[in-house]
Amino acid sequence: MRFLRIHHTTVPVLLLAGATLLGGPALAAAGPEFQYVGQDDQVHGLTAPKGCVGAEGGGARAVTNGTRGTATLYREPGCSGRVVGVLRPGEVSQVRPYFASARFPVTG
């Protein structure tokens, strides 16, 4: 397995690039659709996120949006404060310094 070094944290490339490598629907079967490395150096994931969700562990570093919608990342809890990033479906990015919550589309 290949590894990618991101801000002093080693994370498997497939974990971070899963949305790009596998595509949206395939990623849902493989694991969480939205993944990030937290400030606690743990990998966190959300399956089928909708609306505003908190970033357990304080979202930082690498983020993978394998959902079918745009993920808007906010500095403060409750999807408030400054927007620190917007990730389109399938996008993999780094977020600095951190995010505390994320908003996803609410669809039927």
Side-chain angles (χ1 to χ4, degrees):
M1 176 180 285
R2 294 182 352 172
F3 289 89
L4 175 68
R5 189 126 177 107
I6 299 176
H7 299 289
H8 309 296
T9 300
T10 302
V11 180
V13 171
L14 289 177
L15 173 67
L16 299 176
T20 303
L21 296 173
L22 298 174
L27 183 59
E33 297 164 304
F34 183 80
Q35 297 180 346
Y36 61 93
V37 177
Q39 291 175 315
D40 59 1
D41 291 328
Q42 299 296 313
V43 176
H44 298 272
L46 301 169
T47 301
K50 293 181 181 178
C52 182
V53 296
E56 181 182 333
R61 302 185 181 114
V63 181
T64 299
N65 182 17
T67 69
R68 293 182 179 171
T70 299
T72 305
L73 310 177
Y74 293 87
R75 177 64 52 93
E76 303 299 327
C79 295
S80 63
R82 187 170 75 99
V83 171
V84 295
V86 177
L87 280 76
R88 295 180 312 255
E91 189 172 2
V92 178
S93 184
Q94 291 191 27
V95 175
R96 293 183 78 181
Y98 67 90
F99 63 100
S101 57
R103 181 170 301 283
F104 299 88
V106 178
T107 57

